[in-house]
Amino acid sequence: MCEVDQDGGHMRSAEHPSFSKACVKCKVHPPAVLLRVGDPFCRGCFNEYFIHKFRAMLGKNRIIFPGEKVLLAVSGGPSSSSMLRQVQQGLSINAHKKLRFTPGIVFIDEGALTGRSLEDRHKTNTEIRILFESTGFPFHIVSLEQVLELPTSVLMWPHMSSTDRTSSYKVAVGEFDQNQSCAFQPPYQQQEPADMNKAHTLELQLLMASVKTHTAREELLNMLRQHLLLHTARTEGYSKLMLGDNCTRLAVKLLSSISLGRGAQAALDTGFSDSRYGDVIAVRPMRDYSAKEIAYYNHLFDVPSVFIPGLDFKTPDKNSIQRLTESFVTKLQTEFPSTVTTIYRTSEKLQSDCKAASAVDDRPLCVLCQCALDTSAENTSAFQATLISEQLSQSKCPKDCLQSLTDDKTKSAANCSSQCHGDGGCCSPLNICVSNKLEPMELKTLLCYSCQLTVKDMTSLEHLPRYIISEAQKRLRRFQMRAEISSFLLD
Ligand SMILES: [Zn+2]
Ligand SMILES: [Zn+2]
């Protein structure tokens, strides 16, 4: 349809007579970008429009407090690189309405997954480092292998007093203004990329190889990535995590989420803010930009990005549900330009049960994606439908998961005590077997419907990172204990 010239960024188009007109906004300068038919923008007006959109998104939601530490997750791709530029611009001295938070950057090196050599990975990391250094912001380059060393606390809902959560934006603005006069700027620091541990690289590759389908592999990678980002934010003292998802990506994510049985979590997965972790809130300020707008902006204003092939690089469309959805949406978009916005607007109207649920301390959260468990939803869920069809095909009632689990546990505890050497190596003080093994059926009770599907596609659970297994075992022991003493408890 239209494309940007290599030299000046001026557009050519034979189809649109409107193109010869001047910029639709200032009506003076020649057009440089055509986002919608009949709405050409000149370079200057496009820049203004783009910057305004970012500020407006943050301003409207008022979720990032002045002075707050915000961690920008930058993958090197066009969208997150553009986000980084917006933050840089917003913090610059002569910015019109200056942003008032303190940024930091994180990059995850996922080279282990695509089997890249150490040399190759170092080269990319150096490129990323140079890019980050030029911003003057503190940055953290972490490797995906580090997910294997995460503590179980990453999966726990943090303890916060209610006052922490209700502190208002206005109060924060006041405090920020007061502190501004005597603000102490810590020296910008950077973190050395962790040495890539060969054993961990292999372990990570084994984990990914134990997943049978590309769909489940993508899902698992997504969870691990989120855990690592969350951990980095927590340990480095950031209370907000900025993600670069643009509206094209979110439209794909919404549709694939639904196909993957994540309907109950779709609002959190695609919304502006995601509060599932409690203390660290993820925000998506790029959600109003289309991939096309970002491509134009990056081209016209020389926003550098680093190309890094991911898991789905050059894979056929039908490889995974996520890839198939992506190609469906992008193909539809070329014929029907409002496809993405229509899907995206729908995502804005979604409300999640998870948000309210996670504020209640006692409701169990999925041990993988950390959303409230949707498996107890009464009716009309995909999970219930699956249960019913299983029931019909087996023509017997599926036992209550927890009950059967307790039975199994009692059995295994009995086995354990007969073989126990009394050295405490295999038994906890409560005489519950604490082997390192985790049975898929046991893990299933701790997962939401969609994560159950992901785990179902794994040939074994033995390569799951330690923190996931430990946390799952801990929760199972707690369930069992509760079941054992349930007859003594008052309702
Ligand atoms: Zn203009
Ligand atoms: Zn889940």
Side-chain angles (χ1 to χ4, degrees), residues 262 366 369 448 451:
R262 295 189 61 78
C366 171
C369 72
C448 70
C451 292

Side-chain angles (χ1 to χ4, degrees), residues 422-436:
D423 56 0
C426 67
C427 294
S428 72
L430 283 158
N431 202 28
I432 297 165
C433 199
V434 277
S435 69
N436 282 342

Side-chain angles (χ1 to χ4, degrees), residues 86-353:
Q86 291 312 302
V87 171
Q88 270 179 283
Q89 194 128 39
L91 288 165
S92 63
I93 308 296
N94 49 10
H96 169 49
K97 271 188 179 171
K98 208 166 173 256
L99 296 175
R100 297 191 285 182
F101 57 81
T102 311
I105 320 171
V106 61
F107 166 79
I108 303 182
D109 163 20
E110 299 175 0
L113 299 182
T114 39
R116 301 177 67 206
S117 68
L118 275 185
E119 259 184 331
D120 238 21
R121 294 173 66 181
H122 276 303
K123 221 174 102 192
T124 307
N125 291 354
T126 309
E127 247 180 283
I128 289 282
R129 167 188 297 270
I130 293 168
L131 188 77
F132 289 175
E133 270 168 354
S134 71
T135 65
F137 301 157
F139 61 86
H140 315 278
I141 295 179
V142 295
S143 65
L144 191 62
E145 281 93 334
Q146 282 171 265
V147 84
L148 297 167
E149 294 162 30
L150 290 184
T152 50
S153 61
V154 78
L155 298 172
M156 285 181 224
W157 182 266
H159 292 283
M160 290 190 299
S161 65
S162 55
T163 42
D164 286 346
R165 270 182 238 166
T166 50
S167 62
S168 80
Y169 184 83
K170 259 194 177 162
V171 172
V173 174
E175 281 171 3
F176 178 79
D177 288 343
Q178 266 186 357
N179 295 337
Q180 245 342 49
S181 48
C182 54
F184 167 66
Q185 285 283 327
Y188 281 133
Q189 33 162 306
Q190 60 178 70
Q191 193 176 287
E192 283 299 311
D195 274 321
M196 278 169 254
N197 179 327
K198 260 190 183 165
H200 278 172
T201 306
L202 186 68
E203 220 174 304
L204 191 64
Q205 286 165 341
L206 283 173
L207 167 65
M208 284 300 162
S210 70
V211 188
K212 287 180 286 182
T213 60
H214 291 281
T215 302
R217 205 169 296 145
E218 285 277 348
E219 278 298 286
L220 183 66
L221 169 60
N222 219 357
M223 305 308 166
L224 298 180
R225 200 187 273 145
Q226 286 302 319
H227 294 164
L228 193 52
L229 289 176
L230 174 64
H231 178 73
T232 311
R234 278 183 180 159
T235 51
E236 303 293 336
Y238 294 91
S239 44
K240 294 278 152 50
L241 181 63
M242 230 183 219
L243 306 172
D245 299 288
N246 60 49
C247 97
T248 312
R249 221 189 114 67
L250 288 173
V252 173
K253 209 168 167 185
L254 177 65
L255 289 189
S256 52
S257 276
I258 292 166
S259 326
L260 292 165
R262 295 189 61 78
Q265 297 88 351
L268 286 181
D269 287 347
T270 61
F272 173 76
S273 72
D274 181 347
S275 55
R276 78 180 74 175
Y277 310 114
D279 52 348
V280 176
I281 300 189
V283 292
R284 303 185 177 90
M286 300 299 285
R287 68 194 306 271
D288 249 1
Y289 299 98
S290 69
K292 185 173 155 187
E293 279 175 315
I294 292 171
Y296 281 145
Y297 183 85
N298 288 1
H299 176 84
L300 286 177
F301 300 98
D302 298 316
V303 178
S305 56
V306 180
F307 174 74
I308 304 160
L311 255 191
D312 59 353
F313 178 61
K314 280 189 176 170
T315 52
D317 286 1
K318 286 178 187 157
N319 234 6
S320 66
I321 291 178
Q322 297 90 335
R323 273 289 286 130
L324 190 61
T325 316
E326 189 190 344
S327 95
F328 169 70
V329 171
T330 39
K331 277 177 192 159
L332 205 60
Q333 173 76 13
T334 52
E335 301 264 341
F336 306 96
S338 55
T339 301
V340 164
T341 36
T342 308
I343 304 171
Y344 162 73
R345 296 286 166 226
T346 314
S347 82
E348 277 187 324
K349 295 185 183 79
L350 294 175
Q351 294 237 324
S352 176
D353 184 33

Side-chain angles (χ1 to χ4, degrees), residues 3 50 53 77 79 90 136 184 200 220 241 264 282 353 375 389 405 407 426 455 482:
E3 51 185 321
F50 201 91
K53 216 164 163 172
S79 202
F184 167 66
H200 278 172
L220 183 66
L241 181 63
D353 184 33
T375 44
S389 70
L405 178 68
D407 293 349
C426 67
V455 167
R482 200 172 294 162

